[in-house]
Every structure is written in C-alpha cells, then in structure tokens.
Amino acid sequence: MADTRDISMHFWATQEEYDLIQKNMALSGSTNLSAFLRKMAIDGMVIKLDMPEIQEMLHLLRRANANINQIARHLHDTGRIYDTDLEEILGFQKETATRLNDILTKLSALK
C-alpha cells in the first residue's frame, strides 16, 4: 500500500522531551517515530483539569490572608485586640478549615 500522506508536520522538542518520547515508544513496542506520534496525536487521551475546588481553596486562602493582615494592622495601631474581633476571626478560621478539609477530601477521592 502506497503512503498517501501528503501533509508534513514538524515540531521542536527539548532533549528531556525527546528522551521521554523515546521511552514511551519503547514501552509501547513502537520503533517508528512517525507512526507513534501520529497514533498518540489521533488516539491519545486529552485531559483538561478544571477543578473549581482548587479555585475555591485559593479564594479562601486569600480571604484568610486578608484577615491576618487586618489583625496585624489592628495590633500595630492599637497595641491590643478585642475579644469580639478575636471570636470573629477564630470563627472564620474554623469555617475556612472545614471548607478546605471538604475540598481536600473531594480532591483525594479523584485520585
């Protein structure tokens, strides 16, 4: 059967990427680089990770950081912190820890 492929495709790779390609070729038993790359490009699995849990965790961490900065400014300005402020902060930290734990539990279930 004659080779009817008429489109040439080229790409550059680092030495490390090339070594990984060679390793995967060896694992698959393939000796033809062109056939291997074509097969992987056509039949390979494409995975796009869209994890809203990570985005939520980052949001919570930013909020926690903002609270810590408020505490530091308050202590700097007054030299003391009020019990009501401390209770509010501790409540927020407890809520944040609970939500982060829930997120981490969901992420670990994905493995």
Side-chain angles (χ1 to χ4, degrees):
M1 176 178 179
D3 193 357
T4 59
R5 293 184 181 94
D6 58 353
I7 297 174
S8 176
M9 300 178 75
H10 302 272
F11 69 95
W12 290 92
T14 65
Q15 183 64 47
E16 293 80 16
E17 291 167 335
Y18 179 78
D19 292 343
L20 285 172
I21 291 168
Q22 292 294 318
K23 177 182 172 188
N24 287 335
M25 277 182 59
L27 289 173
S28 72
S30 179
T31 56
N32 183 324
L33 179 62
S34 180
F36 175 76
L37 293 176
R38 189 171 40 257
K39 176 77 172 155
M40 292 305 295
I42 293 170
D43 297 339
M45 184 182 300
V46 176
I47 299 173
K48 178 182 177 191
L49 295 178
D50 182 21
M51 302 182 114
E53 295 88 356
I54 301 252
Q55 294 299 323
E56 183 182 355
M57 187 178 348
L58 290 173
H59 173 73
L60 293 172
L61 289 172
R62 287 184 190 111
R63 283 183 57 196
N65 189 46
N67 281 347
I68 291 168
N69 287 336
Q70 286 177 338
I71 293 168
R73 271 189 253 115
H74 182 75
L75 286 173
H76 181 265
D77 293 343
T78 65
R80 62 186 188 283
I81 191 166
Y82 298 104
D83 289 341
T84 55
D85 295 333
L86 189 56
E87 288 173 16
E88 181 181 342
I89 291 163
L90 291 174
F92 175 76
Q93 286 179 332
K94 183 176 181 180
E95 174 191 347
T96 302
T98 300
R99 290 174 68 184
L100 286 174
N101 189 43
D102 291 345
I103 291 168
L104 292 173
T105 301
K106 288 179 187 177
L107 290 175
S108 67
L110 295 175
K111 291 182 181 178

